[in-house]
């Protein structure tokens, strides 16, 4: 293999370059990305950047030392066997890494709606947040909650409109209800069970015909894998680029990583597409191994975190129909410290959510990886360390 092309210069793309070199690949590597920036981290965009604490989140990676031909502002438009079609002509490859991430979903309407996906989005939005500005955030998911946190800190009047009957419903189901009081405490007007019909000039129109006036509308209703450029290529797509447990796609010498990849999880026996930083960080090493012919399997316990309304929220694992065990009191005075464990029928931990209890996350993640049976009665006692359950 002489030439590897990496499409998408986000975290998964740059990590793929690093992993190829770390595995001894000495051939040519070309990294193309449609943004005109060096690869950067996205988690701080809705946190430190919006809060005004930082302006740059560029990934600490020495592209010169990696001897990568990095082409910023170049998009892939199509894929044929052995050739990526780009906005600057054709690029022949022997190996290809698809790392094009995801794009935010926008809602109907001709009013301006902001999203937070890129550093440009975050800086633009930040410049609009100020004392007395009215902000409507659509979606009480991870991004919506973090944007609401930053907007309140900037002195804005914030309304969050959520179609489901709890925040974080897509990720956590009813467990997300425990975060409802955080909105009121932060002075945010949270409207649950409320559908937006359209984003208009001056605010939102709701499905019941009423309106919410806002100077700034931020849409945070999720993302879709950025795979439109692969249409017609013959690669298998199904909620992202379908891969096996080695991150190999249906096309020869093509692997996929990060937010755009729907990989087979040996651990959970299902296909997962995880739109979180830890996946973009960890998957590229397996993808690089696959390309250079080393044997490796991608089988992590997925992990993510969110910082919202002064709370550190962390989650590891995957839950599906497992029963819940609560540790601690979510309604406790002051800063609550609690966790929820998802436990299988045979008493094994399958997922853990921790709020201001980072040790539960670390220990819970190890228990999920280990797969041992637990004493569920002890699990419910927050005074007992998870590793001793
Ligand atoms: P991306 O970071 O999306 O990078 C893909 C790159 O490919 C982009 O630059 C894109 O422009 C480019 N591209 C797309 N199509 C093409 C094309 N056709 N040709 C060339 N280039 C293309 N995760 C957490 O775990 N915790 C958090 O707290 C957290 N906070 C987040 C906050 C925000 C605001 C956002 C947006 C994400 C957050 N995430 C968080 C998720 C995490 O950042 C993503 O999972 C991670 O960025 C995925 O990396 P990626 O490289 O797969 O995709």
């Amino acid at each position: 293999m002489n030439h590897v092309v990496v499409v998408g210069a986000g975290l998964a793309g740059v990590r793929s370059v690093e992993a190829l070199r770390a595995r001894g690949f000495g051939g040519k590597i070309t990294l193309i990305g449609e943004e005109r920036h060096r690869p950067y981290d996205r988690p701080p965009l809705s946190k430190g950047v919006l809060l005004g604490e930082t302006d740059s989140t560029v990934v600490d990676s020495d592209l010169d030392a990696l001897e990568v031909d990095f082409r910023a502002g170049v998009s892939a438009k199509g894929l044929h066997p052995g050739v990526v079609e780009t906005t600057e002509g054709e690029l022949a490859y022997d190996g290809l890494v698809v790392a094009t991430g995801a794009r935010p979903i926008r809602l109907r309407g001709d009013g301006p709606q902001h999203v937070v996906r890129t550093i440009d989005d975050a800086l633009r939005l930040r410049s609009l947040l100020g004392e007395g500005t009215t902000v409507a955030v659509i979606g009480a998911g991870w991004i919506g909650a973090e944007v609401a946190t930053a907007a309140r800190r900037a002195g804005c009047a914030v309304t969050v409109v959520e179609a489901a009957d709890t925040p974080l419903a897509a990720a956590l189901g009813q467990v997300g209800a425990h975060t409802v009081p955080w909105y009121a405490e932060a002075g945010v007007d949270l409207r649950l069970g409320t559908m937006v019909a359209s984003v208009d000039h001056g605010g939102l129109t709701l499905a019941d015909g009423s309106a919410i006036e806002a100077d700034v509308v931020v849409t945070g209703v999720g993302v879709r894998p950025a795979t439109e450029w692969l249409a017609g290529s013959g690669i298998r797509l199904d909620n992202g680029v379908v891969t096996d447990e080695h991150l190999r796609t249906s096309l020869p010498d093509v692997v996929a990583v990060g937010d755009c990849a729907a990989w087979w999880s040996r651990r959970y026996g299902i296909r997962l597409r995880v739109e979180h930083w830890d996946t973009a960080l960890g998957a590229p090493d397996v993808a690089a191994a696959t390309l250079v012919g080393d044997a490796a399997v991608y089988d992590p316990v997925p992990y993510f975190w969110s910082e919202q309304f002064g709370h550190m929220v962390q989650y590891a694992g995957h839950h599906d129909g497992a029963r819940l065990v609560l540790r601690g009191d979510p309604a406790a005075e002051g800063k609550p410290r609690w966790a929820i464990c998802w436990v299988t029928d045979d008493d094994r931990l399958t997922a853990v959510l921790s709020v201001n209890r980072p040790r539960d996350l670390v220990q819970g993640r190890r228990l999920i990886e280990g797969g041992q049976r637990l004493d569920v009665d002890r699990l419910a006692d927050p005074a007992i360390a998870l590793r001793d359950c």
Side-chain angles (χ1 to χ4, degrees):
M1 188 168 292
N2 294 318
H3 184 201
V4 174
V5 173
V6 180
V7 181
L11 180 64
V14 73
R15 283 282 299 125
S16 298
V17 175
E18 291 172 353
L20 281 161
R21 291 297 185 223
R23 285 192 174 266
F25 177 69
K28 186 175 174 202
I29 304 179
T30 305
L31 171 65
I32 69 167
E34 71 182 12
E35 292 186 67
R36 296 187 179 278
H37 298 289
R38 290 171 70 85
Y40 61 89
D41 265 330
R42 291 180 206 276
L45 300 183
S46 49
K47 307 174 182 68
V49 174
L50 277 191
L51 289 167
E53 294 163 357
T54 182
D55 292 344
S56 169
T57 69
V58 168
V59 173
D60 182 15
S61 184
D62 188 342
L63 298 180
D64 293 336
L66 289 166
E67 294 186 27
V68 53
D69 179 7
F70 171 48
R71 304 193 192 168
V74 176
S75 299
K77 295 192 304 180
L79 177 65
H80 313 290
V83 179
V84 179
E85 208 183 298
T86 81
T87 44
E88 292 196 352
E90 294 190 342
L91 265 179
Y93 69 82
D94 306 308
L96 175 66
V97 182
V98 179
T100 42
R103 294 188 203 286
I105 296 168
R106 289 167 193 269
L107 297 182
R108 263 189 303 171
D110 55 11
Q113 52 185 300
H114 294 265
V115 293
V116 189
R117 184 74 198 177
T118 68
I119 182 78
D120 301 324
D121 294 337
L123 292 174
R124 196 177 309 122
L125 176 60
R126 185 176 83 186
S127 72
L128 299 173
L129 302 180
E131 198 64 45
T133 304
T134 51
V135 177
V137 180
I138 309 171
W142 304 115
I143 303 284
E146 292 185 353
V147 169
T149 303
R152 276 302 293 147
R153 284 260 199 102
C156 304
V158 182
T159 304
V160 175
V161 182
E162 167 58 53
D165 59 2
T166 67
L168 306 173
L172 301 180
Q174 283 303 313
V175 169
H178 291 303
T179 72
V180 168
W182 300 353
Y183 288 76
E185 284 156 20
V188 173
D189 178 6
L190 173 64
R191 314 257 185 110
L192 295 169
T194 305
M195 287 290 292
V196 172
S198 61
V199 179
D200 308 314
H201 289 276
L204 308 175
T205 302
L206 303 180
D208 66 5
S210 64
I212 293 179
E213 287 183 12
D215 302 318
V216 177
V217 173
V218 185
T219 305
V221 296
V223 295
R224 289 199 187 96
T227 54
E228 63 289 339
W229 65 282
L230 294 164
S233 67
I235 203 167
R236 192 168 156 222
L237 299 174
D238 183 5
N239 180 30
V241 183
V242 172
T243 80
D244 65 10
E245 60 193 13
H246 309 287
L247 302 175
R248 200 184 282 131
T249 71
S250 61
L251 296 181
D253 301 314
V254 181
V255 292
V257 285
D259 280 12
C260 67
W263 38 275
W264 179 256
S265 166
R266 188 186 275 189
R267 178 184 302 278
Y268 297 106
I270 51 168
R271 203 168 296 290
L272 291 179
R273 193 172 65 77
V274 176
E275 298 156 355
H276 294 300
W277 186 87
D278 195 57
T279 304
L281 185 76
D285 183 49
V286 172
T290 299
L291 275 186
V292 302
D294 294 345
V297 168
Y298 188 55
D299 194 22
V301 170
Y303 162 72
F304 68 84
W305 80 98
S306 168
E307 294 157 42
Q308 45 183 278
F309 306 114
H311 302 285
M312 173 56 98
V313 182
Q314 293 166 291
Y315 176 96
H318 175 75
H319 65 272
D320 198 2
R323 71 187 194 280
L324 302 183
V325 179
L326 180 62
R327 285 168 62 75
D329 179 8
E333 289 286 308
K335 192 164 187 158
R337 295 171 206 281
W338 52 278
I340 285 181
C341 296
W342 281 264
V343 181
T344 59
D345 288 346
D346 61 351
D347 295 345
R348 293 174 215 277
L349 192 62
T350 181
V352 60
L353 172 82
S354 75
V355 174
N356 305 318
R357 282 180 72 99
R359 215 168 281 167
D360 272 8
L361 190 284
V362 174
Q363 295 179 9
R365 196 177 186 186
R366 279 197 203 119
L367 290 176
I368 299 167
E369 279 162 358
Q372 61 266 50
R373 295 182 80 148
L374 303 170
D375 180 335
V376 175
D377 290 337
R378 290 173 68 79
L379 208 59
D381 182 348
I384 300 175
L386 269 187
R387 62 163 180 251
D388 297 330
C389 291

